[in-house]
């Protein structure tokens, strides 16, 4: 049921799709994807059922960190197009009912940003305090995020005569958000892009820039760092009431609650659930659903307006940093045993289908899980067709290869010579010859069609985005049976993470034989016995979505 005061909380039931313009579609044939190419594919994304695009950084950049090192927060990388092209793409998306959000990088700039150039040139520069400087690096240093490339988060700058803080590459000096002038700049940047038509931001590296409020000895006008997040949210809300902040916060669930603003829900609107994602891989490796179930149950209670974003992988390494060392090793052994499949000692550089040896049953089961877990699903481009990775690209770039549109040269991504492409195309069994949109659009049994069905059903079931989550008792460790209940609607999903077919007995509190469980992904229904129990058959790696239907139900099934 639609309730009027819930309909503007669009993010609760959104389907988010992350893409990098640079690797999506090259329309002018120069080897780099562009905004005109993106505009050409908005209808494709619309027919997949996507409701919100997340654009990875499209700002001018020397590209040390794939665009996350920005030289102009107001600019558009000229290789991708112009502001005009961006506005056209946003307008086209909006016309099809899709919102667009983009990365907001508050934590740092590029070292080539004019602010940093000026800051390092002189201690009296008005921009000196935009960054964090020290004569001597502190003794208790945090570890660098990219330990294969950096051995400290402080680098001495000859010109400046001081060390500066950088949690990521040395080419990404951290901004000093304790400085009110920096906070003003960030607010202006947000205001600018909201006026250009964005519906919010994916906020990069949130805990890192909040920590900076505690690092600098300078003027800190916030009594505590979370007040800054609250200020960002309320500023955004004043400009565009239903805009969202989707935060990257890879921390334990209890800590994430603080980044939502507790149960007040006045900080980040949404956060990725890194904990459930990591436990899901442990569950897949063990063929045991319990780690995933307990991760989901350990989510703290949030405001009803806050939302968890669920995902199978993002554009970075598939981080397993919140698993124990032994657990991480189990996942490495199962899904990425070779050194070139691992990075930073904590993550995998592979996409899901190759990790599962291309087994279509398991791949579909994982995406069925993704779309039936409580929260808002986020897809990374190419997941809908089962793209693989190119390990030769190295590190995180292995999963940022060009989108595979056709079986033709460069996977239909570009007409340029392969040597000029923004990244190497996937080779081998997952190359465009075998995995591409064009072929899958014509094949009703394709992964693309299956994903479209999942997305449609997810959108039909607002209880998945809104509902109360419960794990249902049943006897098998390999099985996750869960329900999401909201208003009078209830969806039950049952997933078998193991290879053996199973008959799963479920006892459904509050149900009697007047209810029927109707399959939403295939034809079929299951009767509920007088005592409220039902038996669900599952193939090996099988899954079912069951709508609890009462005789007077008027929902479309
Ligand atoms: C985030 C991004 C990652 C980037 C880093 C520094 O973690 O997801 O891609 O390298 O921030 O901006």
């Amino acid at each position: 049921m639609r309730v009027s005061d819930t309909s503007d909380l669009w993010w609760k039931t959104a389907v988010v799709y992350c893409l990098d313009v640079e690797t999506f579609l090259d329309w002018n044939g120069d080897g780099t994807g562009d905004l005109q190419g993106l505009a050409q594919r908005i209808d494709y994304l619309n027919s997949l059922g996507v409701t919100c695009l997340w654009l990875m950084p499209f700002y001018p950049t020397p590209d040390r960190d794939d665009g996350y090192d920005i030289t102009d927060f107001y600019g558009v990388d000229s290789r991708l197009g112009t502001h005009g092209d961006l506005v056209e793409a946003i307008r086209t998306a909006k016309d099809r009912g899709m919102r667009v959000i983009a990365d907001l990088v508050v934590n740092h700039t590029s070292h080539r940003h004019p602010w940093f150039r000026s800051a390092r040139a002189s201690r009296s520069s008005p921009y000196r305090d935009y960054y964090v400087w020290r004569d001597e690096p502190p003794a208790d240093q945090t570890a660098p995020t990219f330990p294969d490339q950096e051995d400290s988060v402080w680098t001495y700058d000859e010109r400046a005569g001081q060390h500066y803080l950088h949690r990521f590459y040395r080419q990404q000096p951290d901004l000093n958000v304790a400085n009110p002038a920096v906070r003003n700049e960030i607010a202006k940047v947000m205001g600018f892009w909201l006026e250009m038509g964005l519906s919010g931001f994916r906020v990069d590296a949130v805990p890192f820039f909040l920590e900076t409020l505690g690092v600098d000895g300078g003027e800190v006008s916030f009594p505590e760092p979370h007040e800054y997040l609250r200020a960002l949210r309320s500023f955004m809300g004043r400009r565009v009431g239903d805009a969202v902040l989707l935060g990257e916060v890879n921390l334990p669930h209890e800590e994430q609650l603080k980044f939502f603003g507790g149960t007040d829900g006045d900080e980040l609107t949404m956060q990725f659930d890194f904990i459930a994602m990591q436990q899901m891989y442990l569950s897949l490796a063990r063929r045991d659903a319990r780690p995933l179930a307990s991760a989901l149950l350990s989510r703290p209670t949030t405001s009803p307006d806050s939302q968890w974003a669920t995902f199978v992988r993002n554009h970075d390494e598939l981080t397993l940093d919140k698993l124990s060392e032994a657990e991480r090793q189990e996942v490495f052994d199962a899904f990425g045993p070779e050194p070139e499949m691992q990075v930073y000692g904590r993550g995998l550089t592979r996409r899901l289908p190759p990790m599962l040896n291309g087994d279509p049953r398991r791949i579909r089961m994982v995406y069925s899980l993704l779309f039936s877990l409580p929260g808002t699903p986020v897809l990374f481009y190419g997941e809908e067709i089962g793209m693989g990775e190119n390990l030769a690209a190295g590190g995180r770039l292995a999963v940022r290869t060009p989108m595979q549109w056709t079986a033709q040269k460069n996977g239909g991504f570009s007409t340029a010579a392969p040597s000029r492409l923004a990244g190497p195309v996937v080779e081998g069994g997952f190359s465009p010859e075998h995995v591409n949109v064009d072929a899958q659009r014509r094949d009703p049994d394709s992964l693309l069609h299956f994903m479209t069905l999942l997305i449609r059903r997810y959108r039909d079931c607002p209880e998945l985005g809104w509902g109360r989550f419960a794990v249902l008792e049943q006897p098998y460790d390999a099985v996750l049976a869960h329900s999401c209940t909201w208003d009078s609607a209830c969806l039950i999903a049952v997933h078998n993470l193991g290879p053996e077919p199973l008959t799963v007995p479920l006892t459904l509190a509050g149900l009697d034989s007047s209810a029927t469980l109707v399959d939403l992904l295939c034809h079929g229904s299951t009767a509920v016995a007088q005592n409220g129990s039902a038996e669900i058959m599952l193939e090996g790696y099988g899954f079912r979505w069951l709508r609890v239907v009462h005789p007077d139900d008027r929902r479309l099934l």
Side-chain angles (χ1 to χ4, degrees), residues 172-365:
Q172 292 167 297
D174 277 19
L175 279 168
N176 175 19
V177 293
N179 179 346
V182 170
R183 296 198 300 266
N184 274 341
E185 299 277 7
I186 297 297
K188 270 192 287 181
V189 168
M190 290 171 78
F192 176 80
W193 291 111
L194 292 169
E195 289 296 316
M196 295 284 274
L198 291 188
S199 299
F201 303 93
R202 180 266 186 184
V203 193
D204 191 58
V206 181
F208 292 85
F209 70 80
L210 283 205
E211 261 170 43
T212 313
L213 286 167
V215 168
D216 191 68
E219 186 199 339
V220 179
S221 55
F222 286 105
E224 63 105 19
H226 283 273
E227 209 154 290
Y228 181 41
L229 262 193
R230 266 195 294 280
L232 279 185
R233 172 73 181 275
S234 74
F235 169 79
M236 186 183 68
R238 290 195 299 278
R239 294 294 171 93
V240 175
D242 67 350
V244 293
L245 294 178
L246 164 57
E248 183 197 25
V249 180
N250 177 10
L251 288 176
H253 278 152
E254 318 80 74
E255 304 221 12
Q256 283 190 283
L257 181 60
K258 294 188 206 141
F259 289 79
F260 278 127
T263 49
D264 291 339
D266 54 0
E267 296 185 31
L268 296 171
T269 329
M270 307 170 81
Q271 288 179 64
F272 295 100
D273 190 344
F274 279 93
I275 301 300
M277 182 279 288
Q278 301 190 33
Q279 296 293 333
M280 180 186 79
Y281 280 96
L282 185 61
S283 275
L284 293 173
R286 291 182 177 171
R287 295 175 166 83
D288 178 344
R290 289 173 299 174
L292 173 60
S294 44
L296 293 165
L297 290 170
S298 81
R299 284 177 175 179
T301 305
T302 57
S303 149
D305 294 3
S306 302
Q307 182 66 312
W308 298 97
T310 52
F311 64 111
V312 166
R313 87 138 19 264
N314 64 12
H315 62 289
D316 287 324
E317 78 279 10
L318 194 171
T319 186
L320 301 166
D321 67 333
K322 297 292 182 288
L323 300 182
S324 72
E325 209 171 316
E327 291 167 341
R328 184 162 46 249
Q329 195 56 47
E330 274 182 73
V331 180
F332 280 167
D333 291 346
F335 298 135
E338 305 301 328
E340 70 268 23
M341 298 170 175
Q342 301 167 13
V343 69
Y344 314 134
R346 61 171 184 255
L348 288 165
T349 57
R350 309 189 76 193
R351 284 186 182 245
L352 181 81
M355 291 198 288
L356 300 180
N357 299 317
D359 183 341
R361 296 173 306 165
R362 263 184 121 181
I363 296 167
R364 287 173 192 223
M365 185 269 292

Side-chain angles (χ1 to χ4, degrees), residues 65 68 108 146 168 172 202 204 248 315-316 396 400:
D65 186 11
Y68 283 91
H108 48 264
F146 304 133
F168 297 94
Q172 292 167 297
R202 180 266 186 184
D204 191 58
E248 183 197 25
H315 62 289
D316 287 324
R396 296 178 298 164
R400 301 179 184 177

